[in-house]
């Protein structure tokens, strides 16, 4: 499933490849988020042309709408959303805990009311894996309990132990051929809990490991410390996934710590609000300084938006509430994140990731 191709000689950054039933994924990689079966405002073709090797969807949202029967009748999630490459589905655990109207968590599973219509549902860990099996997901995530920040250690420990129990139960639901189930390390901001959780999950021998509950409000240095304290406990021969992270500088830090997979809604969420990521930092193109700025969003970018449109035109689109504006900036941001990963992979291949990181952060933060 995962092959470690090259370890950078001057950092923990590593070059790898994940093989799935729907194709290979070169790592480190960024996964555009298509929560409800679509990367917001963009077509699958646009995402593929931008360089995406894999997208992420969410089991909770898709279970509620359009529902299991519709997706199964469509022939699975790939056919339903017309995406030919790999799909990772998140279990929806975080969404249940954050979006559900009423929820009750116990060792058996999670009772919750839909945030859409208030209908009551009950998910066991086994149910969540089966849902993703029925979707035809290439990479599946088990049900876990993610606590909010800040959180007392007793509460974090209960959630961590429950996550471990749910991981054991999830692993007993055998994936279909070509499907992969990863495990999720929890433990809030407590390094000893994180390390205990990681060690027990490694003993269960999952095909890969994710770090969940990161970037949920804690300070950046604390996030980095959590990742650094856990990553060395994870097997070199298996992929490592940092869930929900994040901003370009956070992703580069994660790669430096040996992380292989990232996802976040940041590129499209920021894009819909007129914020573009560039090699010189983030800009808000709807602001007045760009009224007559006829340069592209990023002169070093080769995306469709940068090759064809100016900042002034994009500002005009946002200020006249034209949908094309948010589509173009979202497309640029996705391209920027994916190209950043491609550049990181090339730097690792040449044992120059430390140099690449230093130069990127210097230019990106030099507004």
């Amino acid at each position: 499933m995962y092959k470690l191709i090259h370890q950078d000689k001057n950092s923990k950054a590593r070059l790898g490849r994940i093989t799935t039933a729907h194709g290979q994924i070169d790592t480190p990689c960024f996964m555009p988020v298509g929560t409800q079966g679509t990367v917001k405002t963009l077509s699958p073709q646009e995402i593929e042309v931008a360089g995406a090797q894999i997208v992420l969807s969410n089991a909770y949202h898709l279970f509620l709408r359009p529902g299991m029967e519709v997706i199964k009748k469509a022939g699975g999630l790939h056919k339903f959303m017309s995406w030919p490459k790999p799909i990772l589905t998140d279990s929806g655990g975080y969404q249940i805990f954050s979006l559900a109207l009423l929820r009750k968590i116990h060792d058996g599973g999670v009772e919750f009311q839909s945030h859409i219509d208030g209908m009551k549902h009950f998910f066991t860990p086994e149910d969540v894996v089966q849902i993703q099996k029925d979707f035809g997901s290439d990479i599946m995530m088990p049900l876990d309990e993610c606590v909010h920040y800040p959180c007392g250690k007793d509460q974090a420990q209960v959630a961590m132990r429950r996550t471990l129990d749910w991981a054991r139960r999830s692993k007993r639901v055998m994936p279909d051929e070509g499907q992969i189930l990863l495990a999720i390390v929890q433990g809030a901001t407590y390094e000893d809990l994180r390390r205990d959780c990681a060690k027990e999950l490694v003993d269960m021998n999952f095909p890969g490991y994710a770090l969940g509950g990161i970037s949920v409000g804690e300070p950046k240095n604390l996030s980095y410390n959590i990742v650094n304290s856990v990553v060395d406990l994870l097997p070199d021969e298996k992929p490592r996934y940092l869930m929900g992270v994040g901003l370009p500088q956070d992703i580069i830090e994660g790669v430096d710590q040996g992380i292989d997979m990232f996802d976040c809604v940041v590129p499209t969420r920021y894009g819909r609000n007129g914020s573009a990521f560039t090699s010189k930092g983030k800009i808000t193109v709807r602001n007045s300084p760009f009224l007559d700025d006829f340069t592209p969003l990023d002169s070093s970018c080769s995306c469709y938006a940068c090759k064809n449109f100016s900042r002034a035109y994009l500002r005009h689109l946002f200020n006249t509430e034209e949908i094309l504006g948010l589509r173009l900036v979202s497309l640029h941001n996705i391209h920027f994140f994916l190209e950043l990963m491609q550049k990181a992979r090339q730097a690792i291949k040449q044992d120059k990731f430390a140099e690449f990181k230093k130069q990127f952060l210097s230019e990106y933060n030099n507004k």
Side-chain angles (χ1 to χ4, degrees):
M1 173 237 172
Y2 175 79
K3 180 180 180 181
L4 177 59
I5 295 174
H6 181 71
Q7 176 72 55
D8 186 272
K9 292 180 179 178
N10 303 302
S11 72
K12 293 181 181 179
R14 54 200 222 141
L15 195 67
R17 181 170 295 133
I18 300 171
T19 301
T20 77
H22 287 88
Q24 294 183 330
I25 306 157
D26 293 321
T27 63
C29 71
F30 178 80
M31 299 179 284
V33 175
T35 299
Q36 301 187 95
T38 175
V39 179
K40 288 189 185 300
T41 79
L42 302 176
S43 71
Q45 182 185 39
E46 288 171 318
I47 295 298
E48 190 171 3
V49 169
Q53 306 173 81
I54 178 174
V55 298
L56 179 148
S57 289
N58 187 275
Y60 167 81
H61 286 282
L62 292 172
F63 172 83
L64 296 178
R65 288 188 302 195
M68 296 303 303
E69 291 306 312
V70 171
I71 294 176
K72 284 196 283 188
K73 285 181 180 178
L77 187 55
H78 289 84
K79 290 184 177 179
F80 184 60
M81 60 186 287
S82 193
W83 175 254
K85 294 188 174 185
I87 296 175
L88 181 148
T89 45
D90 191 3
S91 68
Y94 180 79
Q95 285 70 31
I96 292 171
F97 302 135
S98 61
L99 294 179
L101 301 176
L102 295 171
R103 55 178 169 75
K104 184 182 295 184
I105 306 164
H106 51 77
D107 292 343
V110 183
E111 300 175 45
F112 65 95
Q113 282 184 269
S114 164
H115 71 285
I116 298 167
D117 58 12
M119 184 176 291
K120 293 182 179 180
H121 301 278
F122 178 70
F123 278 177
T124 67
E126 294 84 358
D127 292 333
V128 169
V129 177
Q130 187 61 53
I131 288 168
Q132 294 174 84
K133 284 181 61 176
D134 291 343
F135 286 163
S137 306
D138 296 281
I139 304 176
M140 306 181 293
M141 306 305 298
L143 186 64
D144 64 325
E145 184 174 355
C146 177
V147 294
H148 295 288
Y149 176 84
C151 167
K153 189 170 186 178
D154 288 347
Q155 182 187 356
Q157 186 167 25
V158 168
M160 184 268 282
R161 300 308 314 180
R162 185 171 286 139
T163 294
L164 286 169
D165 179 56
W166 287 352
R168 289 188 192 92
R169 291 169 55 185
S170 298
K171 198 169 188 293
R172 296 188 194 114
V173 183
M174 295 299 294
D176 291 336
E177 185 176 355
Q179 293 183 315
I180 302 160
L181 177 68
L182 305 187
I184 304 175
V185 178
Q186 290 289 359
T189 54
Y190 302 97
E191 290 187 17
D192 57 336
L193 296 183
R194 288 278 182 177
R195 293 174 69 84
D196 288 347
C197 188
K199 290 175 183 176
E200 291 199 39
L201 289 173
V202 169
D203 287 342
M204 296 182 205
N205 194 29
F206 278 83
Y209 302 89
L211 279 72
I214 306 289
S215 193
V216 292
E218 75 279 5
K220 286 289 176 65
N221 63 327
L222 195 51
S223 301
Y224 297 157
N225 288 342
I226 293 168
V227 175
N228 193 51
S229 69
V230 171
V231 74
D232 289 340
L233 300 174
L234 304 178
D236 289 338
E237 70 277 9
K238 296 182 178 181
R240 305 157 178 170
Y241 168 26
L242 183 56
M243 303 178 75
V245 175
L247 296 169
Q249 60 270 35
D250 298 333
I251 291 174
I252 292 301
E253 289 288 351
V255 172
D256 196 28
Q257 292 178 311
I259 298 295
D260 305 301
M261 303 166 67
F262 303 86
D263 80 278
C264 196
V265 298
V266 159
T268 49
R269 178 173 290 172
Y270 278 57
R272 294 194 303 278
N273 289 298
S275 292
F277 295 92
T278 79
S279 56
K280 305 299 181 183
K282 181 172 66 69
I283 63 171
T284 303
V285 75
R286 68 194 315 159
N287 289 350
S288 56
F290 304 108
L291 173 65
D292 55 359
D293 184 341
F294 299 104
T295 62
L297 286 172
D298 190 339
S299 59
S300 64
C301 179
S302 61
C303 80
Y304 174 75
C306 289
K307 286 194 297 184
N308 292 280
F309 304 102
S310 68
R311 295 176 175 187
Y313 179 67
L314 293 169
R315 180 184 183 275
H316 161 69
L317 293 178
F318 272 94
N319 283 281
T320 54
E321 299 184 349
E322 289 288 346
I323 294 172
L324 180 60
L326 58 90
R327 276 184 28 79
L328 289 173
V329 179
S330 294
L331 179 61
H332 163 78
N333 285 348
I334 289 289
H335 185 279
F336 177 84
F337 274 63
L338 295 172
E339 187 174 59
L340 180 62
M341 293 290 92
Q342 192 278 327
K343 291 177 179 177
R345 292 194 295 270
Q346 185 63 26
I348 296 168
K349 185 177 181 180
Q350 298 172 349
D351 293 316
K352 293 182 178 180
F353 183 77
E355 179 182 328
F356 167 77
K357 173 187 173 182
K358 182 178 180 181
Q359 182 177 352
F360 170 77
L361 293 178
S362 174
E363 293 179 356
Y364 183 80
N365 293 321
N366 184 26
K367 296 183 180 180

